[in-house]
Amino acid sequence: MVNGQRVVVFDGLNETEEVLKAILEPQGCSVDRVRQRNVNDLDCPCEIPSIVVVHDDDLNESTTSQPGWNEVPKVVIGSVRKPKSTSSGQTTRFLMQPFQYAELIDSIESLLQQSPGND
């Protein structure tokens, strides 16, 4: 279902990364967590993830600092307000805090199924 795809958790809680790894890695999806201060470690185009999970406070930093990340589907955790800048081809799901991990996983799996490389 999600084989070979990559989910990046941008900052956020340790628990978010742990839960996503426990659920998604057995399905063949890799899960990584990137901290804002180390975001430049992922500047290679081959490192572009399939999905980015980000808190709305960090949304602009995660998308503008990484080449190619503007087009990556995102799950935004936080308020319901939409970000000021979204590109026309970008898919973004919003989860309001406090969120349930089941909602987050459903959103990620739905976006992974919609991704162009997944037939």
Side-chain angles (χ1 to χ4, degrees):
M1 175 169 80
V2 293
N3 239 350
Q5 294 179 308
R6 183 168 173 244
V7 174
V8 170
V9 179
F10 189 82
D11 281 334
L13 304 171
N14 286 333
E15 292 81 20
T16 302
E17 176 190 19
E18 292 168 11
V19 169
L20 293 180
K21 281 186 176 199
I23 301 296
L24 297 175
E25 285 187 346
Q27 300 177 31
C29 184
S30 67
V31 177
D32 297 303
R33 182 168 175 231
V34 178
R35 289 177 178 79
Q36 191 170 9
R37 62 184 172 272
N38 297 332
V39 76
N40 291 330
D41 295 343
L42 293 177
D43 58 1
C44 169
C46 61
E47 296 281 352
I48 294 174
S50 305
I51 306 287
V52 175
V53 177
V54 63
H55 285 77
D56 64 353
D57 295 340
D58 302 320
L59 181 60
N60 289 335
E61 290 83 356
S62 71
T63 58
T64 58
S65 63
Q66 293 303 309
W69 281 34
N70 285 334
E71 301 302 316
V72 174
K74 293 169 185 60
V75 178
V76 180
I77 301 167
S79 65
V80 263
R81 66 179 169 76
K82 294 199 177 199
K84 294 173 191 138
S85 61
T86 55
S87 64
S88 58
Q90 179 185 357
T91 305
T92 305
R93 303 277 173 96
F94 293 91
L95 297 179
M96 221 170 137
Q97 292 227 44
F99 69 96
Q100 299 292 318
Y101 282 110
E103 294 175 295
L104 177 59
I105 291 165
D106 286 345
S107 294
I108 290 171
E109 288 178 339
S110 173
L111 288 170
L112 288 172
Q113 289 174 358
Q114 293 175 18
S115 69
N118 196 18
D119 296 316

